[in-house]
């Protein structure tokens, strides 16, 4: 696969999480209140999905199914929107969310290699989360720190001018 294709694949690949779904009664009540509030408005699907994501932190399939049921639309319609728009997350974030910039400046300086190293160390793929829910891993577009390329972030911490040899030390800090 060419480098460009590989980068595109990182951005396009959206897979459902394997983390078991759990919800609190409060989350369920909030979701129903959001749907009740918006469901009569034209074009309500995306606002409902955005607010549902605020409640759960991501959009689990179970939540997508509930939205579809309540709006009386096929779940495939909800899933199609969730997978098309990058703002919607199909996977929960870890307590230490790792994001690798695959913007052009970072990518030409080797951020694809950083991503591969992280996948190997953490044992998860782009978009995944570790079993203990500590680390999640995502590709991002340019975060505006091109002068530090290649860049990754762990939560609010920014790391720049990296090589693959820096990755184990960064992960060990958390
Ligand atoms: S391309 Fe990575 S910070 Fe701009």
């Amino acid at each position: 696969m060419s480098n460009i294709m590989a980068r595109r694949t990182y951005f396009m690949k959206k897979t459902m999480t394997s983390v078991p779904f759990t919800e609190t009664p409060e989350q369920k009540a909030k979701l129903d209140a959001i749907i009740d509030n918006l469901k009569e408005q034209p074009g309500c699907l995306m606002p409902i999905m955005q607010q549902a994501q605020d409640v759960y932190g991501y959009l689990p399939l179970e939540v997508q199914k509930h939205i579809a049921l309540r709006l009386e639309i096929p779940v495939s319609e909800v899933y199609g929107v969730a997978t098309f728009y990058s703002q919607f997350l199909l996977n929960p974030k870890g307590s230490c969310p790792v994001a690798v910039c695959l913007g052009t400046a970072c990518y030409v300086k080797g951020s694809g290699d950083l991503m591969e190293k992280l996948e190997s160390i953490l044992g998860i793929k782009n978009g995944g989360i570790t079993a203990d829910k500590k680390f999640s891993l995502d590709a991002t577009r340019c975060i505006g720190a091109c002068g530090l390329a290649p860049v990754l972030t762990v939560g609010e911490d920014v790391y720049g001018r990296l090589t693959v040899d820096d990755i184990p030390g960064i992960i060990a800090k958390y």
Side-chain angles (χ1 to χ4, degrees), residues 101 103-106 142-146:
C101 178
T104 301
C106 287
C142 178
I143 60 167
C146 308

Side-chain angles (χ1 to χ4, degrees), residues 101-107 111 140-151:
C101 178
L102 293 186
T104 301
C106 287
Y107 197 75
S111 62
T140 68
R141 297 182 189 277
C142 178
I143 60 167
C146 308
L148 296 176
V151 171

Side-chain angles (χ1 to χ4, degrees), residues 93-97 129-136 171 173-174:
K93 292 281 168 224
S95 54
C96 301
I129 183 169
T130 54
D132 60 3
K133 300 187 183 175
K134 186 170 179 187
F135 292 103
S136 52
I171 293 303
K173 287 186 191 175
Y174 295 90

